[in-house]
Amino acid sequence: MYYNQNTFIYLNGSYVKAADANTDLYSQTLHYGYGVFEGIRSYKTIAGTTKIFKAEAHFERLQQSAQALNLPYPYTVEELIEAAYKVLALNDLQDAYIRPLVYAPANMSFAKNTTSHIVIEAWQMDPFLGDKMLRVVTSSFERPNPKAFHIHAKATGHYVNSILASQEAKQKGYDEALLLDMHGYVAEAPGANVFFEKNGTLFTPQLGNILPGITRATILELCNELNIPAKEIQFKIEDMYHADAAFFCGTAAEVIGIASLDDKPFTKPWAETISKLIQTTYKNLIAENKKTLLNEVLGTE
Ligand code: PMP
């Protein structure tokens, strides 16, 4: 599903067949969840070209994540963007998900490494939370304490928390979880940030106890351009129960509406919300559909 006999990956400076590549079973990353990665998307633009969305921001965050974890990182943003485009071309992909992973060599101790490895994989992927409005439940799991982890880093080990929360939500019959931070404030979904809308204003948790999402930042920029009031604040789950609308956002999830939270439906019709406008504007932005983008804002055809 992710690769076949003809799939190419980028591995430590070379383009090799995924089926022929291997990794060290003594890697510190495999044993201890000590590695960093990114989740990036490329899109076929309306002009027909392939565009990696926010490529610089993603590879800069990869570097910052590696630095936060003391992983050697001898790569430049430029060379990795070039490698990512080449992986897309070799695999004949346009609308794709791109996964760079920086991982440690064989090391069963907790000591720092003097080298690291990098792989870039790409595959076709539908929106990761689907395209239907979600039924969301508050998780019994909290997001990791920032005093225990560098929570702003996109580290492999943090995703044990995400997997536990997501599996619990699905086992209870919901589509996805919403996690609080260690102080009981709303934090984020297992693999996405969250916004809610009330009386024409958008609210999202402030940075500090969440992954600083690139989609979240893009949406805040869009709000600024469109004169939509948006606030980064601390809020409780109860504040969300009375919202007009809410959505998750992330590279893989894109912008996906939430139908209900803890079985309480959001009552404003999605089509009449600012959240829906953000969803459409984001779709146009990733496809570089500037004409439609403008029409949407101006309310013209
Ligand atoms: N929070 C978490 C925990 C995530 O895994 C993701 C996905 N990377 C996000 C938020 C959204 O981040 P981005 O918009 O950069 O994909």
Side-chain angles (χ1 to χ4, degrees), residues 52-201:
I52 300 179
F53 188 64
K54 301 276 175 190
E56 286 84 7
H58 281 284
F59 283 108
E60 278 162 14
R61 188 171 64 185
L62 186 66
Q63 179 161 22
Q64 286 156 11
S65 297
Q67 278 164 354
L69 268 73
N70 304 319
L71 272 166
Y73 193 88
Y75 323 107
T76 66
V77 167
E78 294 73 29
E79 79 183 84
L80 296 184
I81 291 178
E82 196 185 317
Y85 272 109
K86 179 126 190 231
V87 168
L88 293 176
L90 286 170
N91 294 301
D92 206 10
L93 288 167
Q94 285 202 291
D95 287 307
Y97 185 75
I98 303 163
R99 167 56 58 81
L101 169 71
V102 177
Y103 60 100
N107 182 357
M108 290 297 111
S109 81
F110 297 158
K112 263 194 197 176
N113 303 285
T114 52
T115 58
S116 61
H117 299 289
I118 186 160
V119 63
I120 303 179
E121 302 158 345
W123 62 89
Q124 208 124 30
M125 190 174 80
D126 290 334
F128 127 97
L129 295 171
D131 57 6
K132 294 194 180 64
M133 302 276 289
L134 303 174
R135 292 179 61 245
V136 171
V137 66
T138 305
S139 186
S140 74
F141 293 96
E142 287 175 358
R143 283 301 282 164
N145 186 328
K147 288 188 175 166
F149 292 92
H150 289 304
I151 203 69
H152 63 278
K154 197 162 166 65
T156 58
H158 299 176
Y159 284 80
V160 175
N161 171 258
S162 298
I163 288 171
L164 289 172
S166 194
Q167 289 182 353
E168 179 196 60
K170 281 168 188 146
Q171 205 235 326
K172 287 181 174 169
Y174 295 89
D175 298 313
E176 191 51 294
L178 178 58
L179 290 90
L180 310 181
D181 69 15
M182 70 289 182
H183 298 305
Y185 292 103
V186 172
E188 59 190 329
N193 291 115
V194 65
F195 280 77
F196 78 85
E197 171 182 338
K198 182 74 183 170
N199 298 332
T201 299

Side-chain angles (χ1 to χ4, degrees), residues 212-248:
I214 290 164
T215 318
R216 172 188 179 281
T218 304
I219 289 171
L220 291 172
E221 277 167 29
L222 285 176
C223 287
N224 196 26
E225 281 168 30
L226 303 181
N227 283 324
I228 296 168
K231 294 202 169 99
E232 299 170 73
I233 55 159
Q234 279 188 325
F235 57 86
K236 295 275 171 113
I237 201 79
E238 292 76 20
D239 298 319
M240 278 187 76
Y241 291 158
H242 307 291
D244 297 327
F247 60 88
F248 285 155

